[in-house]
């Protein structure tokens, strides 16, 4: 009796299995799993005749589809958490050459237990645990010497097979596993990867279409974007201070000193705003100061001489205005931050006034000077209206995403301490940047939000840029307030906000998912009577910021024919509805965090495939929500080839022909714009080579 089941299994084994072709022999593990080089054939169930015919049909179907895919050049590989891309390509008749994960063995147990596949979370800068290396000599080879087998078809559980006897193999994973094995020696025609560093470089050169560019740090790292935008005046007659909050790389001495001057000048302006407010002038709005644990709080923290402090602030701002209006051209005017003022004492008094509630006083004459001076400064400084009066700055790690490591600071010594921690002897690697915090953002139901806006670069020469017309808003989990600088109130990243519960003080109209689509936002603006703000102010502003960033970064980016890249730009909106670019992310996350992002992320991936695959054969094919906003054309000149913009959409944004590219200009003085029509001063010819964009963590 005990031998009957065994005999039955022996009769089934070898009779009903259909071996796969071209199987290199290989050992079988002690647990029954087939190791690398051995193909796992499907086991049989209780209905032997039925099982044999299904396996034969499955193999024939797989062969037909593979032969067609090879002929039509439709072999693809996906590296990373992109199930939508995989599904869309399969629906188009593409066959996947599957890749294993690094450092993870296939878990094949007796009884057909499922493989353990730990999930990894994608990140906007492409960081992800676990990599696979495509081997140019055939197959997908795990890196670091692992012994992980390929994703071959694996034995199925008999019990599961019986329950799913009528399963449609067309939609099952088994046929895709089988086809993946059959194309194991094929070079993929299309690759969608989260990191280029996980792909063998020899093979990468043979892949026709790739979703990443090799070198995008000049655009996609905070340091790179900061440095690139300093050179914008050489490419466009545009001022980065009109769309990018003032930003400095703390690892370089020159920019650290420029930040110190900017901090002091902003403190002087902020003190005058506070003085006007406390004197009863309501033209300049401020919030209550944030709580500070530096020194005593409240009105008891009085100043030794409020009138003297206001006079010093007036003197500094008047000198600064003279520089901005170019009144110092014919005379030597010292920097406003290098006057006889004791800046240490001035800043300590400012902290007491701004953060501890100390009183300020203005005489009648001082009040009139203050009002006139602030009005004239507002005409010269594009960021005057959003910088507030508390002088808050935000420190960001240069090459990290998802809000990691970001802190807000209100005191100069806090920022400089961080700078001392990150400065290197060569001064070339800048681990941190400091950026002016937008203290007067537009809020929705009293809550801060930002905008994730996608754009696609399909060619670098000529530069071709597509703007996605659908985007989404990300809300904080607590009401906005400058009195508290917690991440839950000020960082809108989904990965940050998911760590916090919604505050009981939050307006109930804020969506529970903390996400809105751009269409919901437009409906909200219409209810406020600002329906035109989206299409007339915000969208044109976002397009201009994206194009300006690309134009000044493209010489430091490595483009490859056949490649493309989808980027995610993050914008904050000011009270006047002007968008402010915060950063640009390569490899933006496609993991849905809500119903809104589930729909939009799927749509942008679908439309991206339309652009990069369908448009090659049919230039008039639908492009979904993508809008072509820029394409360069080349015009021959005696000096060579000069790039000139000819796109109507670009002209509508106010862009002009690209000038001949020369030396990069220096950083604008004290982080502010020069007078209209003025030329940037000449820079040391060696300066550009001293501070090149540095590679970050990622391709």
């Amino acid at each position: 009796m005990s031998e009957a089941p065994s005999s039955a299994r022996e009769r089934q084994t070898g009779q009903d299995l259909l071996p796969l072709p071209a199987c290199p022999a290989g050992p079988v593990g002690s647990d029954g799993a087939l190791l690398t080089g051995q193909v796992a054939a499907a086991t049989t169930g209780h209905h032997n005749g039925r099982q044999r015919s299904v396996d034969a049909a499955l193999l024939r179907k797989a062969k037909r589809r593979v032969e067609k895919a090879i002929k039509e050049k439709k072999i693809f590989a996906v590296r990373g958490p992109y199930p939508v891309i995989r599904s869309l390509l399969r629906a188009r008749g593409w066959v996947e050459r599957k890749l294993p994960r690094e450092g993870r063995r296939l878990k094949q147990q007796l009884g057909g237990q499922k493989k353990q596949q730990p999930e990894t979370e994608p990140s906007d800068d492409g960081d992800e645990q676990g990599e696979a290396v495509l081997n140019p000599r055939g197959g997908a080879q795990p890196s670091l010497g692992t012994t992980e087998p390929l994703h071959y078809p694996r034995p199925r559980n008999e019990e599961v097979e019986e329950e799913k006897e009528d399963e449609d193999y067309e939609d099952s994973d088994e046929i895709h596993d089988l086809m993946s094995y059959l194309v194991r020696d094929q070079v993929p025609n299309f690759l969608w990867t989260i990191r280029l560093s996980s792909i063998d470089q020899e093979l990468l050169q043979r892949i026709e279409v790739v979703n990443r560019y090799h070198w995008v740090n000049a655009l996609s790292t905070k340091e790179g974007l900061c440095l690139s935008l300093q050179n914008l005046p050489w490419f466009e007659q545009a001022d980065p201070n009109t769309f990018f909050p003032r930003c400095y790389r703390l690892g370089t001495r020159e920019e650290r000193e420029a930040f110190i001057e900017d901090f002091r000048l902003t403190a002087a302006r902020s003190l005058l705003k506070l003085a006007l407010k406390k004197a009863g002038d309501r033209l300049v709005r401020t919030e209550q100061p944030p709580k500070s644990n530096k020194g005593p709080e409240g009105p008891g923290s009085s100043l030794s001489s409020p009138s003297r402090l206001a006079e010093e602030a007036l003197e500094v701002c008047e000198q600064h205005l003279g520089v901005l209006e170019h009144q110092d051209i014919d005379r030597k005017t010292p920097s406003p931050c290098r006057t006889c003022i004791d800046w240490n004492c001035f800043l300590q008094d400012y902290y007491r006034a701004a953060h501890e509630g100390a009183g300020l006083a203005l005489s009648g004459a001082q009040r009139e000077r203050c009002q006139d001076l602030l009005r004239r400064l507002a005409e010269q400084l594009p960021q005057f209206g959003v910088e507030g009066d508390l002088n808050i700055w935000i420190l960001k790690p240069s090459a990290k995403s998802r809000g990691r490591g970001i802190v807000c600071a209100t005191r100069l010594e806090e920022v400089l301490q961080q700078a001392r921690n990150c400065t290197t002897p060569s001064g070339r690697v800048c681990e941190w940047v400091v950026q002016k915090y937008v203290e007067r953002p537009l809020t929705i139901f009293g809550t801060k939000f930002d905008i994730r806006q996608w754009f696609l670069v399909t060619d670098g020469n000529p530069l071709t840029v597509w703007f996605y017309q659908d985007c989404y808003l990300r809300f904080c989990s607590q009401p906005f307030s400058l009195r508290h600088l917690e991440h839950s109130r000020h960082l809108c990243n989904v990965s940050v906000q998911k760590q916090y519960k919604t505050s009981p003080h939050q307006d109930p109209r804020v969506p529970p998912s903390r996400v809105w689509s751009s269409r919901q936002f437009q409906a909200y603006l219409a209810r406020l009577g600002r329906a035109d703000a989206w299409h007339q102010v915000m969208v044109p502003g976002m397009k201009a910021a994206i194009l300006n960033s690309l134009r000044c970064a493209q010489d430091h980016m490595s483009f490859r024919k056949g490649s493309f890249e989808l980027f995610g730009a993050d914008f904050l909106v000011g009270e006047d509805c002007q968008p402010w670019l915060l950063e640009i992310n390569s490899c933006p996350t496609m993991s849905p965090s809500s119903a809104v992002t589930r729909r939009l992320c799927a749509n942008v991936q679908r439309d991206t495939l339309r652009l990069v695959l369908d448009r090659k054969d049919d230039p008039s094919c639908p492009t979904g929500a993508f809008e072509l906003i820029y394409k360069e054309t080349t015009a021959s000149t005696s000096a060579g080839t000069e790039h000139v913009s000819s796109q109507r959409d670009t002209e509508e944004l106010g862009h002009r022909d690209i000038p001949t590219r020369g030396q990069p200009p220096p950083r604008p003085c004290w982080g502010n714009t020069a007078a209209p029509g003025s030329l940037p001063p000449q820079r040391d010819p060696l300066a550009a080579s001293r501070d090149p964009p540095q590679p970050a963590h990622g391709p």
Side-chain angles (χ1 to χ4, degrees):
M1 295 293 295
S2 61
E3 295 179 356
S6 175
S7 300
R9 283 194 295 270
E10 290 175 0
R11 286 195 299 272
Q12 292 173 4
T13 304
Q15 292 179 0
D16 296 331
L17 295 183
L18 207 63
L20 297 179
C23 300
V28 178
S30 59
D31 60 353
L34 301 178
L35 302 181
T36 304
Q38 180 73 21
V39 179
T43 58
T44 61
H46 296 290
H47 306 282
N48 300 330
R50 169 72 179 272
Q51 179 65 46
R52 178 169 50 189
S53 62
V54 169
D55 285 346
L58 179 67
L59 180 59
R60 288 194 298 270
K61 183 180 296 185
K63 283 185 174 180
R64 286 196 304 269
R65 291 177 62 178
V66 165
E67 290 172 356
K68 182 180 179 182
I70 293 175
K71 181 179 179 180
E72 297 179 354
K73 296 184 177 181
K74 289 186 175 181
I75 308 299
F76 77 95
V78 171
R79 175 68 185 99
Y82 299 107
V84 172
I85 292 294
R86 179 176 286 110
S87 176
L88 290 170
L89 288 173
R90 286 177 176 178
R92 288 166 166 261
W94 288 66
V95 172
E96 181 179 8
R97 173 179 163 179
K98 291 189 177 180
L99 309 179
R101 293 182 184 272
E102 178 188 35
R104 178 180 59 79
R105 295 172 178 269
L106 290 179
K107 302 292 184 179
Q108 293 181 321
Q109 305 274 336
L110 287 174
Q113 295 180 2
K114 294 183 179 180
K115 296 182 294 182
Q116 302 295 323
Q117 298 185 5
E119 294 294 331
T120 58
E121 181 182 0
S123 64
D124 283 342
D125 62 352
D127 292 340
E128 185 190 46
Q129 298 298 322
E131 298 179 10
V133 176
L134 274 175
N135 186 349
R137 290 170 291 281
Q141 177 178 327
S143 63
L144 300 181
T146 64
T147 58
E148 177 186 15
L150 299 178
H151 285 197
Y152 297 144
R154 60 185 185 277
R156 293 173 295 172
N157 183 282
E158 293 183 3
E159 182 178 356
V160 173
E161 173 197 307
E162 185 175 17
E163 294 174 353
K164 298 184 179 181
E165 182 178 345
D166 297 327
E167 180 181 9
D168 182 2
Y169 283 107
E170 185 73 21
D171 296 328
S172 69
D173 288 335
E174 185 173 7
I175 190 171
H176 295 294
D177 289 340
L178 178 55
M179 290 190 297
S180 177
Y181 174 75
L182 294 176
V183 299
R184 67 195 182 280
D185 293 324
Q186 295 292 321
V187 175
N189 306 106
F190 180 93
L191 171 66
W192 190 292
T193 179
I194 199 168
R195 297 188 69 178
L196 283 180
S197 59
S198 65
I199 309 301
D200 185 279
Q201 295 303 302
E202 178 184 344
L203 177 63
L204 190 62
Q205 299 303 317
R206 299 164 61 189
I207 300 177
E208 297 176 16
V209 183
V210 183
N211 76 311
R212 300 295 304 275
Y213 290 121
H214 267 290
W215 187 267
V216 296
N217 293 338
L219 187 72
S220 64
T221 64
K222 298 171 183 66
E223 175 198 358
L225 184 61
C226 173
L227 182 59
S228 296
L229 286 174
Q230 293 177 28
N231 301 328
L232 179 61
W234 287 111
F235 300 91
E236 286 288 355
Q237 292 186 5
D239 181 6
N241 288 307
T242 59
F243 64 87
F244 186 63
R246 306 191 299 276
C247 187
Y248 301 90
R249 300 174 300 150
L250 292 178
T252 61
R253 180 179 59 83
E254 177 185 354
E255 294 196 31
R256 187 167 60 252
E257 291 178 353
F259 160 69
I260 294 173
E261 291 198 1
D262 194 342
F263 186 95
R264 291 171 173 174
L265 290 171
T266 306
R269 291 194 298 273
S270 298
L271 189 136
L272 294 183
K273 296 177 186 178
L274 288 170
L276 275 182
K277 178 189 176 183
K278 295 184 179 183
D281 192 309
R282 300 300 177 181
L283 294 179
V284 182
R285 184 188 69 83
T286 64
E287 281 208 21
Q288 293 298 318
K291 291 183 178 180
S292 172
N293 52 12
K294 303 285 182 86
E297 296 186 5
S301 180
S302 60
L303 303 175
S304 58
S305 178
S307 178
R308 176 193 56 80
L309 183 64
E311 187 62 34
E312 289 179 343
L314 285 167
E315 178 185 345
V316 169
C317 290
E318 285 171 345
Q319 290 186 26
H320 186 206
L321 181 62
V323 173
L324 293 174
E325 293 179 341
H326 284 224
Q327 296 175 3
D328 62 329
I329 292 178
D330 298 325
R331 57 187 176 87
K332 293 183 178 180
T333 301
S335 162
C337 293
R338 293 184 173 87
T339 61
C340 59
I341 291 177
D342 185 337
W343 278 105
N344 288 332
C345 292
F346 179 88
L347 288 178
Q348 293 305 316
D349 284 342
Y350 166 73
Y351 297 149
R352 284 193 286 270
H355 307 308
E356 299 169 14
L360 288 170
L362 288 176
S363 66
Q366 285 180 328
R367 180 175 176 179
E368 291 182 3
R369 287 171 60 198
C370 185
Q371 289 175 324
D372 179 67
L373 189 56
L374 291 179
R375 178 185 58 79
R376 293 167 65 188
L377 283 171
E379 295 173 354
Q380 294 290 328
L381 303 175
Q383 298 180 25
F384 183 90
V386 297
E387 67 181 16
D389 51 29
L390 299 181
N391 206 12
I392 300 174
W393 293 74
I394 186 165
L395 277 159
K396 303 178 181 181
S398 173
K400 290 186 178 180
S401 65
R402 295 179 286 165
R404 292 173 293 176
I406 293 179
V407 295
C408 293
T410 59
R411 297 175 181 256
L412 180 60
E413 56 268 25
E414 297 173 1
V415 179
L416 295 182
Q417 180 59 47
Q418 186 63 60
R420 284 189 287 269
N421 294 338
C422 75
T423 303
T424 60
S426 65
R428 286 194 170 189
V429 179
C430 303
E431 298 179 359
W432 291 82
V433 299
V434 60
Q435 191 169 38
K436 184 65 186 74
Y437 186 79
V438 176
E439 297 182 27
R440 297 180 62 176
L442 180 67
T443 60
I444 297 177
F445 309 132
T447 304
K448 183 181 176 181
F449 68 94
D450 70 4
I451 298 175
R452 167 57 60 90
Q453 175 63 61
W454 291 302
F455 66 95
L456 180 70
V457 179
T458 54
D459 202 343
N461 186 19
L463 182 62
T464 307
V465 187
W466 300 77
F467 183 88
Y468 205 66
Q469 299 177 77
D470 290 333
C471 58
Y472 62 93
L473 280 63
R474 307 179 297 188
F475 289 85
C476 288
S477 56
Q478 293 195 51
F480 177 74
S481 173
L482 295 178
R483 292 175 295 179
H484 306 278
L485 301 180
E486 301 95 339
H487 287 178
S488 57
R489 300 179 189 272
H490 298 278
L491 299 186
C492 303
N493 309 65
V494 172
S495 55
V496 171
Q497 293 302 325
K498 70 181 182 181
Q499 304 174 28
Y500 299 98
K501 295 181 180 180
T502 300
S503 168
H505 305 292
Q506 185 79 285
D507 191 304
R509 293 173 293 179
V510 174
S513 63
R514 302 168 190 163
V515 175
W516 258 6
S517 69
S518 56
R519 294 182 182 180
Q520 290 173 295
F521 184 38
Q522 293 175 61
Y524 168 80
L525 291 172
R527 290 194 296 271
L528 297 180
R530 307 172 79 174
D532 295 336
W534 177 255
H535 290 291
Q536 295 184 5
V537 181
M538 297 184 197
V539 170
M542 290 191 292
K543 290 179 180 178
I546 288 170
L547 290 178
N548 283 330
S549 302
L550 277 167
R551 294 279 290 279
C552 58
Q554 69 180 111
D555 284 349
H556 300 284
M557 298 172 64
S558 175
F559 298 103
R560 172 183 180 268
K561 281 295 182 183
S563 294
F564 64 94
E565 184 145 358
L566 181 69
F567 294 92
D570 293 339
F571 287 91
L572 198 65
V573 180
E575 291 178 337
D576 58 355
C577 293
Q578 289 288 343
W580 293 90
L581 176 64
L582 301 180
E583 63 185 28
I584 295 176
N585 300 285
S586 64
C587 201
T589 179
M590 290 291 132
S591 295
S593 60
S594 66
V596 170
T597 53
R598 182 176 294 107
R599 173 176 59 85
L600 292 181
C601 289
N603 289 350
V604 73
Q605 291 175 85
R606 177 203 63 201
D607 293 345
T608 298
L609 292 182
R610 286 176 174 175
L611 268 178
V612 301
L613 296 179
D614 299 344
R615 205 167 182 272
K616 286 184 175 180
D617 301 323
D618 181 11
S620 62
C621 72
T623 58
F626 274 113
E627 172 192 6
L628 179 63
I629 61 170
Y630 185 79
K631 185 174 183 179
E632 283 178 335
T633 57
T634 57
S636 299
T637 64
S638 58
T641 300
E642 180 181 358
H643 292 287
V644 180
S645 170
S646 64
Q647 276 298 324
R648 174 181 57 83
D649 293 19
T650 304
E651 294 170 357
E652 290 177 355
L653 292 175
H655 289 267
R656 306 181 182 180
D657 293 349
I658 304 176
T660 305
R661 296 175 183 175
Q663 282 182 313
R667 167 174 294 283
C669 183
W670 308 298
N672 300 307
T673 181
S678 62
L679 294 177
Q682 293 298 312
R683 186 183 186 185
D684 178 1
L686 299 179
S689 62
R690 284 198 295 265
D691 299 323
Q694 296 298 314
H697 306 294

